[in-house]
Amino acid sequence: MQALRQVDGWQARTAAVAVVGSEGTRAAHGPHDVPLPWASVTKLATALAALVAAEEGTIELDDAAGPEGSTIRHLLAHASGLAPDGLAPIAPPGERRIYSNSGFEVVAETIATGAEMPFESYLREAVLEPLGLSARLEGSAASGLHGSVDDLATLGRELLSPTLVAPETLAEATEVQFADLAGVLPGFGRMVPNDWGLGFELRDAKEPHWTGTRNSPRTFGHFGRTGTFLWVDRDAGLALACLTDKTFGEWAREAWPRLSDAVLEEAGVT
């Protein structure tokens, strides 16, 4: 796929991309096995671990967790009222979409308590090892995964065609939670609404956005400040995994949508 060669012009020391279908990787470019920080793309794996835990009965999504009145569902959907970093609430639960790393750390602690093991171990046993990922969590459940683009592509395939949770579970997790909440999409500004699923950022009609104009409104995923992203477009039946070592900035606001549109165009998506 020629579109993937766009990453060669990004002036990153390392840049790797992979286009994924439900059957696996369809095209790739760049070093496929070099581990790099995923930053906030980690939240996709943590959210998947939470869904596994919910199906197992280790947690219930509507269990109380975080600030008074908040649940695990609120935390995963960035609707708990917690500040971006820190455990002090700055709004009541369910009133604003406040992107919170701390919320994911509380989710991880809640899973660890229910599973009676460190969250790092639970994530490894529930998600990483079953998918055959070499990625490892080093630090926060919100941002600490390190892995290769092969790992990221495999996660994308799982999110296109789930094997660890029921399709109905993932479908619920990738629908809007706490509808009509306004908030800031990091790097792109205030969105009304700023729709989010259970850990999965939803494209919907957001503009501007880090995915492409050809991506369907049903696209979901996440990006990270280390220059990495993963989107899953259910209508196109494709995922795009991107891993770089170039910090997110204005360059990415232009380059990522252009790459996404070129990939979808080359794949025949109109």
Side-chain angles (χ1 to χ4, degrees):
M1 183 172 278
Q2 293 301 309
L4 300 184
R5 297 186 178 275
Q6 288 184 19
V7 304
D8 294 339
W10 289 0
Q11 298 181 336
R13 291 186 301 274
T14 304
V17 281
V19 179
V20 184
S22 59
E23 75 286 358
T25 298
R26 296 185 180 181
H29 184 71
H32 66 94
D33 57 356
V34 176
L36 290 172
W38 288 12
S40 285
V41 178
T42 299
K43 292 181 177 70
L44 300 181
T46 295
L48 185 55
L51 298 181
V52 172
E55 285 198 343
E56 291 179 342
T58 300
I59 61 169
E60 296 287 341
L61 292 174
D62 294 313
D63 285 346
E68 184 177 356
S70 171
T71 65
I72 293 172
R73 187 183 300 275
H74 284 97
L75 293 165
L76 287 170
H78 299 289
S80 71
L82 281 179
D85 295 289
L87 297 178
I90 57 177
E95 289 195 3
R96 291 168 55 193
R97 193 82 66 189
I98 303 170
Y99 183 83
S100 177
N101 292 307
S102 301
F104 270 72
E105 291 165 357
V106 174
V107 169
E109 292 168 4
T110 305
I111 294 172
T113 298
E116 299 182 334
M117 66 171 67
F119 179 72
E120 178 185 356
S121 300
Y122 188 86
L123 178 66
R124 183 175 64 250
E125 294 181 16
V127 175
L128 304 182
E129 289 181 352
L131 294 181
L133 306 188
S134 61
R136 292 293 178 265
L137 184 65
E138 302 175 13
S140 172
S143 60
L145 268 176
H146 289 64
S148 67
V149 76
D150 279 353
D151 291 328
L152 196 55
T154 300
L155 179 60
R157 178 184 180 183
E158 173 66 17
L159 295 176
L160 274 170
S161 184
T163 62
L164 301 183
V165 297
E168 297 81 6
T169 298
L170 184 61
E172 177 190 356
T174 54
E175 296 297 331
V176 180
Q177 306 288 315
F178 309 102
D180 301 323
L181 297 188
V184 174
L185 177 61
F188 290 87
R190 181 175 171 81
M191 301 285 170
V192 184
N194 187 20
D195 286 340
W196 223 280
L198 295 176
F200 304 93
E201 197 250 308
L202 309 180
R203 197 214 188 289
D204 287 350
K206 293 171 183 169
E207 187 63 36
H209 199 256
W210 55 275
T211 63
T213 59
R214 288 176 178 265
N215 280 99
S216 75
R218 298 177 70 234
T219 301
F220 64 88
H222 219 294
F223 77 87
R225 62 178 177 80
T226 53
T228 184
F229 70 77
L230 174 65
W231 58 247
V232 178
D233 190 327
R234 288 174 283 196
D235 288 354
L238 293 175
L240 180 61
C242 176
L243 195 62
T244 83
D245 56 7
K246 185 173 182 178
T247 303
F248 172 83
E250 189 60 35
W251 72 272
R253 289 167 55 92
E254 186 278 329
W256 289 355
R258 180 160 52 87
L259 172 64
S260 298
D261 281 339
V263 165
L264 290 167
E265 181 178 16
E266 197 166 340
V269 176
T270 58

